[in-house]
Amino acid sequence: MKLLEVRNLKVFFPIKDKLFGKPDKFVKAVNDVSFHVEKGEIFSIVGESGSGKSTIAFTLMGIYRKNNGDIVFNGKKIENIGDFDLLRKRIQIVFQDPDSSLDPRKRVRDIIGEGLKIHKIGTKAEINRKIEDVVEKVGLTQDILKKYPHELSGGQKQRVGIARALILEPELLILDEPTASLDVSIQAQILNLLVELQERLGLTYILITHDLNLVKHISDRIMVMYLGKVMEIGSTAQIMSGPLHPYTKALLASVPVPDPEKRNEDEETLTGEIPSPLNPPEGCPFRPRCKYSMDDCWNELEPIEMKERIVFCHLYKEHENSGGV
Ligand code: SF4
């Protein structure tokens, strides 16, 4: 069952040369992106910095405004500010850097309970009970509630961030690079906690990351993005064992391996820099870095559906609507 459906989403940021007047250019941070998230799944959005993955998260949270496209949550089209206010209760986010996302002047109790107060949910006693419950759920002890963020370790801060997101009992949790700023030893603990919570509470996650090693272990499906566009969507098994898009292949080949000498020499490698989003390439955005680039690649890409996966690449044009590779 679909919990979230995003259709043809566009989020453009205007750039002005002068203080007043019309914008001269637009950064097309998210350009015609469509995907859906099933209830109870872990859906990962993967890409380098500047791919548009975090912009999608902030747009779903109502922090950025969409220029075009539809967002449908639980069958309801989200159209106006009132709809986004409702959505803010149902969708919560865990930020990458717990240091900058926790207010240093507030005690943990107030940080975790803030969402309930903003949305005016519960009496003081009910709020306290919920705070104590959620602290236990994320594996912290009650004494942490009187502390300030600077008194906590990196792992504890991220657990507080998770507790703050969970207290509103969201249906969808967005995890924006949730382990990227943590020590390697703590990353596994936080990841295990997130997986355990997802199973125990029947949550749905959108995991945003550049780390394919991370998604390999926990996600059900993956969407690969590049320069504001979707490159490929498929199950984790499909994408990890047989990526179709040249960009996905290059991303996978850049994942560190214990013995680099055993790498297959034919593996794609990612060369060149990601182009400026202010001046994206015509046609396929990956064209300047793709060794298979051909004349067709100057044309806009249409989604090609193959065996329950979607790829945006002219190499697969002949498979369009054939149902197979
Ligand atoms: Fe390469 Fe063309 Fe496919 Fe883009 S559409 S990834 S340039 S082959």
Side-chain angles (χ1 to χ4, degrees):
M1 189 185 161
K2 283 179 190 169
L3 177 64
L4 172 75
E5 208 176 347
V6 171
R7 297 187 213 118
N8 309 106
L9 183 69
K10 290 186 180 179
V11 186
F12 296 173
F13 298 111
I15 304 287
K16 285 184 190 176
D17 271 351
K18 297 182 194 117
L19 192 55
F20 300 104
K22 286 188 177 169
D24 302 283
K25 288 179 180 162
F26 289 89
V27 172
K28 297 178 177 177
V30 175
N31 193 2
D32 208 6
V33 167
S34 300
F35 66 94
H36 78 273
V37 181
E38 297 279 338
K39 228 172 196 156
E41 80 168 337
I42 302 182
F43 182 77
S44 295
I45 307 181
V46 178
E48 292 169 284
S49 124
S51 61
K53 53 195 192 311
S54 292
T55 305
I56 292 180
F58 292 146
T59 309
L60 292 174
M61 297 293 299
I63 299 168
Y64 295 154
R65 291 182 75 169
K66 64 183 169 78
N67 294 73
N68 216 335
D70 295 328
I71 297 172
V72 181
F73 190 76
N74 251 335
K76 182 180 177 0
K77 211 167 171 185
I78 306 300
E79 288 179 291
N80 51 42
I81 292 175
D83 292 340
F84 274 107
D85 280 347
L86 281 178
L87 208 59
R88 268 188 218 115
K89 273 191 245 172
R90 310 274 35 101
I91 302 181
Q92 288 293 303
I93 188 163
V94 175
F95 294 99
Q96 174 180 158
D97 182 4
D99 268 325
S100 57
S101 68
L102 304 182
D103 187 340
R105 296 159 305 174
K106 287 187 175 166
R107 291 183 196 272
V108 169
R109 177 182 291 278
D110 297 323
I111 291 172
I112 295 177
E114 196 174 25
L116 293 174
K117 284 183 190 150
I118 289 172
H119 293 286
K120 298 188 175 67
I121 298 172
T123 61
K124 199 172 174 197
E126 284 164 346
I127 290 177
N128 280 334
R129 188 179 44 74
K130 280 185 181 232
I131 292 171
E132 282 149 26
D133 275 1
V134 82
V135 156
E136 222 170 281
K137 276 190 187 122
V138 298
L140 292 169
T141 49
Q142 301 295 327
D143 61 318
I144 209 152
L145 290 173
K146 41 183 195 309
K147 295 190 177 175
Y148 287 95
H150 74 269
E151 298 175 88
L152 311 180
S153 68
Q156 285 174 325
K157 283 180 201 165
Q158 196 54 308
R159 285 175 195 260
V160 170
I162 296 168
R164 176 179 58 183
L166 286 182
I167 202 155
L168 283 167
E169 299 174 13
E171 286 169 79
L172 176 64
L173 203 56
I174 299 175
L175 309 167
D176 188 5
E177 305 269 14
T179 57
S181 63
L182 302 174
D183 285 351
V184 178
S185 57
I186 308 295
Q187 287 180 3
Q189 289 176 19
I190 295 296
L191 213 53
N192 289 340
L193 171 70
L194 288 167
V195 172
E196 185 212 310
L197 288 169
Q198 193 251 349
E199 286 169 1
R200 192 146 55 96
L201 306 177
L203 293 166
T204 306
Y205 290 166
I206 292 182
L207 172 63
I208 289 173
T209 182
H210 65 281
D211 184 354
L212 275 163
N213 250 338
L214 180 70
V215 299
K216 169 167 91 181
H217 295 299
I218 69 167
S219 80
D220 296 302
R221 286 188 306 129
I222 298 174
M223 173 166 85
V224 180
M225 287 191 69
Y226 183 77
L227 222 59
K229 294 252 187 194
V230 177
M231 300 288 101
E232 181 168 5
I233 303 177
S235 73
T236 303
Q238 286 171 330
I239 292 206
M240 299 311 284
S241 63
L244 296 175
H245 198 285
Y247 176 61
T248 318
K249 289 180 186 176
L251 264 190
L252 275 170
S254 64
V255 172
V257 291
D259 185 357
E261 286 189 4
K262 286 191 182 155
R263 269 209 191 283
N264 182 349
E265 281 183 6
D266 296 332
E267 277 182 2
E268 316 279 334
T269 45
L270 210 44
T271 53
E273 291 294 313
I274 192 162
S276 161
L278 255 181
N279 194 17
E282 233 176 273
C284 170
F286 191 54
R287 185 175 45 73
R289 298 171 85 183
C290 179
K291 67 178 182 188
Y292 305 104
S293 172
M294 51 188 153
D295 288 349
D296 265 2
C297 304
W298 286 78
N299 299 322
E300 278 301 312
L301 297 159
E302 292 297 329
I304 297 170
E305 287 187 36
M306 299 189 301
K307 289 188 181 167
E308 294 174 22
R309 61 200 295 190
I310 296 170
V311 63
F312 288 75
C313 174
H314 289 294
L315 283 177
Y316 300 94
K317 205 106 176 98
E318 70 211 67
H319 302 291
E320 206 162 10
N321 304 321
S322 69
V325 186

